[in-house]
Amino acid sequence: MSDTVMEAARLMDMLPESEQNFAYEFIKKLVLAWDPDFTRLTPEEAKRVDAAESSGFVDEREIDWSEIGH
């Protein structure tokens, strides 16, 4: 978690509960406006995806894609 996020959480914790709920709903609206279908990657997620894709751990030809999700 970044320092900014931790500071925001600390500041929110100082608010009365009703104002915390307002801040939470505001942040939720910001996130949904930024990524309405939750498909964007955070910088940390992007690093993890890149590392996984370049690791060579599993060759995609070895995966039986027709069996995924069954």
Side-chain angles (χ1 to χ4, degrees):
M1 191 175 309
S2 74
D3 290 341
T4 303
V5 173
M6 289 176 23
E7 178 66 9
R10 189 186 68 75
L11 290 170
M12 281 183 60
D13 194 42
M14 294 170 41
L15 295 171
E17 188 173 345
S18 63
E19 298 302 320
Q20 288 178 6
N21 292 334
F22 173 80
Y24 169 78
E25 291 300 325
F26 180 75
I27 292 168
K28 189 165 68 171
K29 286 181 182 186
L30 283 174
V31 170
L32 288 172
W34 176 71
D35 188 10
D37 53 2
F38 296 100
T39 57
R40 291 187 180 187
L41 297 177
T42 65
E44 180 61 32
E45 290 170 329
K47 285 181 197 174
R48 292 172 55 199
V49 168
D50 289 342
E53 288 177 343
S54 64
S55 72
F57 185 74
V58 175
D59 187 331
E60 68 181 76
R61 292 172 292 189
E62 296 177 20
I63 299 172
D64 184 355
W65 295 102
S66 66
E67 293 297 315
I68 300 293
H70 291 167

